[in-house]
Amino acid sequence: MWAHFSGVRRIAAVALASSRELLRERILYVLVGFALLLIGTALLLGELSVGQERRIVLDVGLGAIRVLGIAMAIVLGVRLLEREIERRAIYILLTKPVRRWEVLLGKLIGGALLLFASVAAMTGGLLLTLAAAGRPWREELPLLLPVVFLFWLQSLMAMAIALLFSTFSTSTLSTLSALGLVLIGHASREFLQWAEVVRSPLLALLCRAFYYALPNMQNLNFTAAAVHGREITLSIIGMASAYVVLYLVVVLILAAIAFHGREFR
Amino acid sequence: MKSRSVLMGVLLALAIGGVVELGQRLEERVAAYQHEEEAFWLPSAATLRRWSFGFEGLLADLYWLRAVQYYGRRVFRPGARFEPLDALLELVTTLDPHFLAAYRFGAIFLALPPPQGAGRPDRALALLDRGIAANPGEWRLLLDKGFILLWDVRDYAKAAEVFLHMSRHPRAPTWTRDLAAAVYARAGRREIARRIWRDRLEYGESEQVRENARYQLLCLQAEEELERLHELVRAFQRERGRWPASWQELILAGKLKHPPQDPLGYPYRLDSTTGAVRLSAQSPLILPRL
């Protein structure tokens, strides 16, 4: 039966199975619940500000979506392979006529779908909070949707990095490494600035290499633009999406190389 | 197998090239959405901003809440001091240079005299100047600056200049020109005030605006006449050693041709015990207007 599956169908099957499996992860619900709670508390904080309810709700809400979205992405990204290995299902999976890179891609797509649903749920919570604060939430949609879409792309990068680490490392180390990379990715511009001030050309080259190797998370963060009512142009969304897709390709190839060399006994 | 490895290598190289190229382009485009005025601010605030991991907006909110709570807990308390308020507001506006409420309310907190505020209009003006530099599209910051100069610094001439500058802002409503004219009049710069009111009289957007301009021009005229009359009364006092009992005495002394009237025809009042010259109680003109 498997032999008749085309590559796309095989990847789709893995993606679907991964989504279903990840749906059983309790941590997912805990994080989404926590995010919704945090978004809800923005109402209280908004009350304490001087006429700044909208910006407080948006800053806290978008902050919660971003932080917990990335946390979810890292945890689930590590769990994508870990579950298979823990339950020894990986042995069965690898005996099927499915390539290893197809397994990785399918799992990433499955995780991405689930992340998409989680980000959508959290965005729904934010819109409800805005409505509860008496804000015209429909008017905020054109500002918010591109921002949360870019957050989703951010979390995809985080998930891919976690998946990459999990192909050759333990789950704890993978989680910590991915978290570290993502955090540094928020300040990757610092490397570019250091590259301009260090005297050694080698160090400058190294700084530049770090800058390009790290996921540039800050270029996908438009919270301030949304808060100040500035719309994000389609060209930026397109460029950011292309950047993330290419970054994912690089990470997936590296993950595929690492996963290909791994032996399961 | 070998061909697949080559293909993967090529794909990897292409993807890395794409990431580098797109990363650079994205960086340039995104710069317009984010703020890079670190050199303008104190290093500590700049460092916090740099290491805020993209949460500068959220941090700005938290520090703003802290600033509001800090102010709220101390305001109206005898002997209250507000030293860290300036630093807190600077932190907020460094983290988010477009946080207008922090500039506007913060300037009020700083400018008000103790115990309502920090009694530092100089710091309030500095805060607003930073806000104006970071938000050239916000004429309201100029309005706040003008009011602080007017009410707290009592520098009418500077306040008038700021209001006039504000009135030329493309987004400023037309009434801001009226405000500028009124403050120029208060500053004693009647010529500028008159030019603005004449302009409003000619090009005002409604009959109400034009009527107000006409009224203000009459007030300016009355103010000048009052000053002139007061000078005459003082000259009389210097000569005779007493204040004139009535306008008639000044007419007999050759200083006036007839009892003076305001631009609306109401007689000016002369107080023979103090030498003060005033408008008639019946006159619809009201001075000063600010």
Side-chain angles (χ1 to χ4, degrees), chain B residues 191-220:
Chain B
E191 263 321 297
I192 302 176
R194 188 172 283 120
R195 276 209 301 273
I196 300 172
W197 286 127
R198 279 184 186 148
D199 179 68
R200 298 290 282 152
L201 180 62
E202 197 168 345
Y203 303 108
E205 62 274 20
S206 68
E207 186 49 44
Q208 197 183 356
V209 167
R210 289 191 289 274
E211 187 52 45
N212 179 52
R214 195 175 292 118
Y215 174 82
Q216 297 296 342
L217 282 167
L218 293 176
C219 286
L220 276 178

Side-chain angles (χ1 to χ4, degrees), chain A residues 59 189-190 211-212 235, chain B residues 24 27 29 34 50 61:
Chain A
D59 271 332
R189 264 185 218 149
E190 294 299 305
Y211 168 73
Y212 289 116
S235 64
Chain B
Q24 269 175 343
E27 190 80 50
R29 296 291 304 273
Q34 295 168 350
R50 196 172 296 146
D61 292 347

Side-chain angles (χ1 to χ4, degrees), chain A residues 91-112:
Chain A
Y91 300 104
I92 303 162
L93 186 61
L94 293 180
T95 57
K96 307 278 183 192
V98 55
R99 297 187 182 99
R100 288 195 180 195
W101 69 266
E102 289 174 344
V103 172
L104 291 179
L105 182 58
K107 288 203 167 289
L108 189 68
I109 291 170

Side-chain angles (χ1 to χ4, degrees), chain B residues 108-126:
Chain B
I108 295 170
F109 298 165
L110 286 171
L112 283 172
Q116 294 106 306
R120 292 294 306 269
D122 56 327
R123 300 306 305 155
L125 290 172

Side-chain angles (χ1 to χ4, degrees), chain A residues 75-248:
Chain A
V75 171
L76 297 182
V78 171
R79 291 291 287 162
L80 281 170
L81 268 186
E82 192 197 15
R83 271 180 80 94
E84 301 289 341
I85 298 166
E86 251 177 21
R87 292 161 53 216
R88 301 190 181 274
I90 194 81
Y91 300 104
I92 303 162
L93 186 61
L94 293 180
T95 57
K96 307 278 183 192
V98 55
R99 297 187 182 99
R100 288 195 180 195
W101 69 266
E102 289 174 344
V103 172
L104 291 179
L105 182 58
K107 288 203 167 289
L108 189 68
I109 291 170
L113 290 174
L114 205 65
L115 271 182
F116 188 83
S118 308
V119 170
M122 290 190 280
T123 308
L126 177 58
L127 291 174
L128 275 177
T129 310
L130 278 171
R135 303 292 314 175
W137 61 272
R138 279 191 190 86
E139 286 173 23
E140 304 283 1
L141 269 180
L143 288 173
L144 288 180
L145 289 183
V147 176
V148 292
F149 172 72
L150 293 174
F151 283 174
W152 177 63
L153 292 183
Q154 271 192 341
S155 55
L156 277 188
M157 289 209 287
M159 181 177 260
I161 290 167
L163 182 66
L164 165 65
F165 281 115
S166 72
T167 55
F168 59 85
S169 185
T170 62
S171 61
T172 313
L173 260 180
S174 300
T175 307
L176 289 176
S177 310
L179 188 66
L181 261 189
V182 167
L183 272 181
I184 301 170
H186 278 97
S188 61
R189 264 185 218 149
E190 294 299 305
F191 288 100
L192 204 58
Q193 284 173 10
W194 289 336
E196 282 161 18
V197 293
V198 291
R199 286 181 186 171
S200 157
L202 187 69
L203 265 180
L205 190 72
L206 206 62
C207 285
R208 279 185 196 283
F210 270 124
Y211 168 73
Y212 289 116
L214 289 167
N216 197 329
M217 296 294 201
Q218 197 53 6
N219 278 352
L220 303 172
N221 178 18
F222 287 85
T223 308
V227 169
H228 294 298
R230 296 172 68 193
E231 284 190 21
I232 306 165
T233 59
L234 273 175
S235 64
I236 284 205
I237 298 171
M239 204 182 278
S241 307
Y243 169 79
V244 172
V245 167
L246 286 176
Y247 198 89
L248 291 181

Side-chain angles (χ1 to χ4, degrees), chain B residues 65-103:
Chain B
L65 288 173
R66 216 173 138 192
V68 171
Q69 302 303 315
Y70 176 85
Y71 174 76
R73 276 199 296 269
R74 282 163 183 77
V75 68
F76 291 122
R77 280 193 187 171
R81 295 163 72 92
F82 297 88
E83 271 97 357
L85 192 59
D86 191 17
L88 271 172
L89 291 167
E90 187 172 326
L91 212 55
V92 174
T93 51
T94 304
L95 288 164
D96 185 351
H98 302 303
F99 201 149
L100 290 182
Y103 294 113

